[in-house]
Each structure stands twice: as C-alpha cells, then as structure tokens.
Amino acid sequence: MGIDLKEHLNPQQLVAAEAIEGPILILAGAGSGKTRVITYRIVHLVENIEVRPESILAVTFTNKAADQMKDRVRGQLRALRSADPWISTFHSLCVRLLRREIEALGYAREFTIYDSKDQLQVVRSTMKDLSLDDKVVTARAVQSRISAAKNQRTTPEKMAEDAWQPDWEYTAQVYAEYEKRLRKAHALDFDDLLAKTV
C-alpha cells in the first residue's frame, strides 16, 4: 500500500507531486512548500510508482536544503529499499561523479579541491612569479575574472585573444599559468567541479 498524498498536500502541491512524465516547474515564494512538494514527489515515485530510489536524483543549491530533503525523504519512505535517492547540492553531485569518472579527462581520482582562499593564493603567487603589477589589476579581480571565464567555458587563449586592455591581457596570462599550477597539483577549484563534470 502506497502513501496517500492527499493527506499531506494542498491541491496545487498534489498536482506537482503526482506529475511523473516530463519536467515540471514549481514557481513559488519562500516558505510555500516547494521542498515539501519535491519530497512527496520522490516518496510518491518510490512508494506508489515503485521507482528504484537510487535512480532518482534531486539537486539543490545549499547543503542545508539538501540535508533537509534527505531527512524528510528518509522519514517518509516506508518500503524496504536497497539504496536512498541521490539528494545533494550541485557541487557535491559533481564531486561524486568526478571521483568516479575524472580519469577520462586525464586527472587522478585523488584530486584536491581548492577553496576561494586557496585559489587567491595561487593567483597571487602566479602574479608575483610573472612580475605582474597588482596596481593594474588586483589578485581578487583576477580570481573573479577567472571564475567568470570558467563558468562561460572561456579558455585562457580565448580570453587573451579577446583582451582589449592591459589588465585583461594580465588576467589571461595569470589564468593560463593558474590552470597549469592546478593541474600540476592535481587540484580543481569550485568552478572546475561544474565545468569538468559537463
């Protein structure tokens, strides 16, 4: 016997939770029950439709939201199961996939993840070693530009080609060396986690 969603959701939430074919968009304000709907949609798929939990993926932006969703789903699922659904943040999902598959990109599975402090340190040391003047562009600005470039899938070479001012030429030089240093250290930054997974 499955779960009766009518006991837990209002009519609009029920429509979203019972939708099993194709994508749905839940557009609602804070505190309106979006996490609740997603939780019950997962429970519905497992309990009522008999979808294997490990074939369900729910991705969110924050660790707090992911943890809340995991706890709610575990608390609602009654059936015995071989595994739990994948519920995580985007970055956690990417790390999990990369730990399993990154060798296809020529990296070792034991890569290190650099946080923003580590990234800034690499940028600063790179600028110093390249004798670049931090009065022209700051290390923090370079770090921000590298992050934006990675998110737009722009290579250091493309950045250099498109540079229209000396500070962008500097940024492109630092970016190229930054990439070499990360690779040599078997490290990825947070932007790499998403880009390398893609």
Side-chain angles (χ1 to χ4, degrees), residues 14-193:
L14 184 64
V15 169
E18 288 183 331
I20 59 170
E21 293 296 326
I24 63 166
L25 171 66
I26 301 170
L27 185 62
S32 60
K34 295 181 297 294
T35 301
R36 182 179 184 80
V37 169
I38 295 168
T39 298
Y40 278 103
R41 186 175 192 210
I42 292 169
V43 171
H44 172 66
L45 288 167
V46 174
E47 297 281 345
N48 299 347
I49 309 299
E50 298 182 359
V51 172
R52 292 176 52 208
E54 62 270 24
S55 67
I56 296 172
L57 170 64
V59 185
T60 186
F61 288 101
T62 67
N63 287 321
K64 181 180 176 185
D67 291 341
Q68 283 179 349
M69 200 176 302
K70 282 179 199 173
D71 291 343
R72 290 182 189 185
V73 167
R74 284 185 190 129
Q76 291 295 327
L77 287 177
R78 299 182 299 219
L80 291 174
R81 56 198 185 279
S82 58
D84 287 328
W86 279 30
I87 301 173
S88 73
T89 63
F90 286 98
H91 286 93
S92 294
L93 171 66
C94 290
V95 169
R96 188 172 175 179
L97 292 172
L98 289 172
R99 293 275 183 222
R100 199 172 70 191
E101 304 292 341
I102 199 163
E103 290 173 336
L105 300 177
Y107 287 82
R109 286 185 186 181
E110 299 77 32
F111 60 85
T112 302
I113 301 169
Y114 280 6
D115 63 16
S116 58
K117 187 178 173 183
D118 298 324
Q119 294 167 351
L120 188 57
Q121 187 176 359
V122 174
V123 167
R124 281 189 176 130
S125 67
T126 301
M127 289 177 71
K128 183 180 176 188
D129 293 347
L130 294 175
S131 301
L132 298 178
D133 187 355
D134 64 358
K135 290 180 181 75
V136 176
V137 61
T138 67
R140 216 170 274 292
V142 171
Q143 178 187 16
S144 178
R145 289 174 179 183
I146 290 171
S147 177
K150 286 186 175 197
N151 284 309
Q152 294 170 6
R153 310 283 310 256
T154 302
T155 65
E157 296 76 23
K158 178 71 173 143
M159 182 185 279
E161 191 178 296
D162 295 343
W164 67 92
Q165 292 179 323
D167 61 318
W168 280 96
E169 290 175 21
Y170 286 7
T171 300
Q173 288 176 42
V174 175
Y175 182 12
E177 182 61 25
Y178 172 87
E179 289 291 272
K180 289 176 190 169
R181 291 181 184 201
L182 259 62
R183 183 80 161 189
K184 186 176 180 182
H186 302 291
L188 301 177
D189 61 26
F190 284 124
D191 299 307
D192 287 329
L193 296 178

